[in-house]
Amino acid sequence: MVTKELYIYGSAFGLPSLDANCLALIAYLNIVSYGEYNIIACNDAALSPTGELPMLYDGKNWIAGTNRVIAYLSKLGHNADKSLSQEMKAKSVSCQALADETLSDALLFSWFADDENFVGTIRKAYSNLLPFPARYYAPIDMKKRAVRRVQKYGGAIGSSGSLTHAEHTKIYDVARDCYRVLDRRLAKQDFFLGDSPTTLDAKVFGYLALQLYPEIPNPRLQMILTSQFPRLAAYCDRCRDRFLVSVPSPTPLPNIAMVSFLPSFTNPLPSLGSWSPSNWLGGRFFKSAPPAKEQGEGQQEKDKDSATAKSLEQRDFERKRIFAIGLGFLAMVGYVIANGLVVIGTEDDEDSGGGYYGDEDSLTLEEVVLLSEDVDEDD
């Protein structure tokens, strides 16, 4: 009986997950021949003990986060880097850090700061995975966080939350430099550090796959890879054929329709898809009009028809979003009252010492603790 389970963000674009870290861990499990396990399309990082996905349950322990899972498995003997020298391990760590910073930012910019990609493809991809009503507000929260992170590369955050003047961004030059470093490291080898794949290959594949394979309106990263770094594109194809060939199909997590917008007491840490009062209520009912674009008369005429179609779709999305938020608020109030988190008492109750105010020992909270080994020092 299979007791091992891997909890990830669900599949999209022909890949088992639309999250780079989840893809990286799936690739790593293939590299170390982890054995049989079930994949659960969780889609809610609030269920994780650290507020992040992927999360592995090996029959005894729960471990969340790609680096923590890799460190945990390495201690158990599932080490993809065991044959590397100390020098090669150091090179692997430096290249992983480069990928985690640069390729991650490039992906966030392409998916969320580029409005054409976000509205046309990315928002729909996440909405298809999320339960109601999270599908109407979680992608917007993800966009806001991503835009704040990549704004350092150029552009300014407008009143609508979008990145204006994004044409001046440096992110594509930075991504190109990263591709160049990786291309030189790969050279004519099958994998970055030799003939066998390692942790570095799993990490880089997670990012490259999401930059190369999704069909999005503005596939600039895809074009850079295929036209300027065909060796990296061929490498990504090779990794896909090897790492994903025997991956079990993700199974939806049952009965989580209400989880994504109820407060999580076992895991209060913020995450892209998790609930918190401040980011749930802030800016949901009133929005400033987006700033007018500075453009020529010819460009205005060119965008007229597409803007009309987008406005109709946007209004329909906003109506559904407000309805979902209202229903979520009512569900939250019902949850709080039903679980006794708010108690309405009378003056007589307080004077007589009755109820929760008079008897401190009458209320107890049961804590659910997910067991996991502390492997932070190995991350």
Side-chain angles (χ1 to χ4, degrees):
M1 180 179 179
V2 178
T3 59
K4 302 174 183 177
E5 295 175 332
L6 178 64
Y7 292 77
I8 64 171
Y9 290 105
S11 58
F13 310 120
L15 298 167
S17 177
L18 50 52
D19 180 77
N21 288 315
C22 294
L23 285 177
L25 187 53
I26 290 173
Y28 186 89
L29 295 179
N30 179 278
I31 292 172
V32 299
S33 302
Y34 186 59
E36 294 186 8
Y37 61 92
N38 292 327
I39 291 184
I40 310 297
C42 173
N43 302 318
D44 191 351
L47 299 178
S48 162
T50 60
E52 58 186 328
L53 293 176
M55 176 173 63
L56 178 70
Y57 175 65
D58 67 349
K60 297 185 299 182
N61 299 314
W62 296 88
I63 313 95
T66 300
N67 290 334
R68 289 186 180 89
V69 174
I70 289 177
Y72 174 77
L73 293 177
S74 296
K75 283 187 174 182
L76 298 180
H78 302 287
N79 188 350
D81 301 334
K82 60 184 177 182
S83 62
L84 298 180
S85 65
Q86 291 301 319
E87 179 183 359
M88 297 302 287
K89 288 180 180 179
K91 292 180 179 180
S92 175
V93 170
S94 64
C95 286
Q96 288 179 51
L98 178 64
D100 286 335
E101 176 70 18
T102 304
L103 296 186
S104 176
D105 286 352
L107 186 62
L108 289 176
F109 188 96
S110 176
W111 279 23
F112 295 100
D114 189 317
D115 272 346
E116 189 177 6
N117 289 339
F118 178 73
V119 175
T121 304
I122 303 305
R123 186 177 67 187
K124 294 178 182 178
Y126 277 98
S127 296
N128 289 338
L129 297 177
L130 295 170
F132 177 88
R135 66 185 58 168
Y136 293 113
Y137 64 81
I140 304 300
D141 284 345
M142 298 171 72
K143 175 183 173 65
K144 290 178 180 178
R145 298 187 187 193
V147 168
R148 285 197 297 268
R149 173 168 168 171
V150 302
Q151 193 266 335
K152 60 186 177 182
Y153 295 101
I157 301 176
S159 57
S160 65
S162 299
L163 200 62
T164 60
H165 305 295
E167 65 274 9
H168 302 301
T169 182
K170 300 176 182 178
I171 186 60
Y172 292 111
D173 292 331
V174 174
R176 190 179 288 106
D177 290 340
C178 181
Y179 292 153
R180 187 173 293 110
V181 171
L182 294 173
D183 187 68
R184 290 173 179 172
R185 164 54 54 191
L186 180 64
K188 297 182 179 180
Q189 304 174 117
D190 287 340
F191 300 100
F192 285 114
L193 300 176
D195 296 331
S196 300
T198 62
T199 303
L200 176 59
D201 295 286
K203 284 287 194 73
V204 173
F205 169 72
Y207 293 115
L208 292 185
L210 293 177
Q211 295 172 10
L212 184 62
Y213 299 130
E215 296 295 331
I216 55 179
N218 184 18
R220 189 166 176 181
L221 292 174
Q222 181 191 72
M223 290 188 293
I224 293 175
L225 279 169
T226 55
S227 62
Q228 300 178 30
F229 302 96
R231 188 160 53 188
L232 279 182
Y235 160 82
C236 192
D237 290 339
R238 187 161 59 250
C239 288
R240 179 184 59 178
D241 293 341
R242 172 161 180 167
F243 299 153
L244 305 184
V245 65
S246 59
V247 174
S249 300
T251 302
L253 183 66
N255 301 323
I256 66 165
M258 303 295 284
V259 170
S260 292
F261 61 91
L262 293 179
S264 173
F265 298 103
T266 59
N267 172 37
L269 298 177
S271 62
L272 288 180
S274 62
W275 184 97
S276 68
S278 58
N279 65 30
W280 188 79
L281 293 174
R284 298 203 180 282
F285 296 100
F286 301 98
K287 287 191 171 184
S288 302
K293 294 183 179 179
E294 297 180 0
Q295 53 186 4
E297 182 177 343
Q299 183 65 29
Q300 292 178 348
E301 191 66 27
K302 180 180 178 181
D303 293 341
K304 186 176 180 180
D305 294 336
S306 61
T308 302
K310 285 184 179 180
S311 64
L312 292 174
E313 180 184 357
Q314 188 67 22
R315 283 200 298 268
D316 180 65
F317 179 83
E318 289 297 332
R319 282 196 299 267
K320 293 178 179 178
R321 184 166 174 254
I322 292 174
F323 174 75
I325 291 169
L327 181 59
F329 181 77
L330 292 176
M332 180 187 67
V333 172
Y335 179 89
V336 169
I337 295 175
N339 286 272
L341 302 179
V342 173
V343 179
I344 302 175
T346 63
E347 293 184 1
D348 293 338
D349 291 334
E350 297 182 29
D351 294 338
S352 62
Y356 294 129
Y357 298 101
D359 185 5
E360 295 180 355
D361 295 330
S362 62
L363 176 64
T364 60
L365 296 178
E366 293 184 359
E367 297 180 349
V368 179
V369 179
L370 298 177
L371 299 176
S372 62
E373 284 197 16
D374 184 13
V375 294
D376 289 278
E377 61 183 6
D378 297 316
D379 287 348

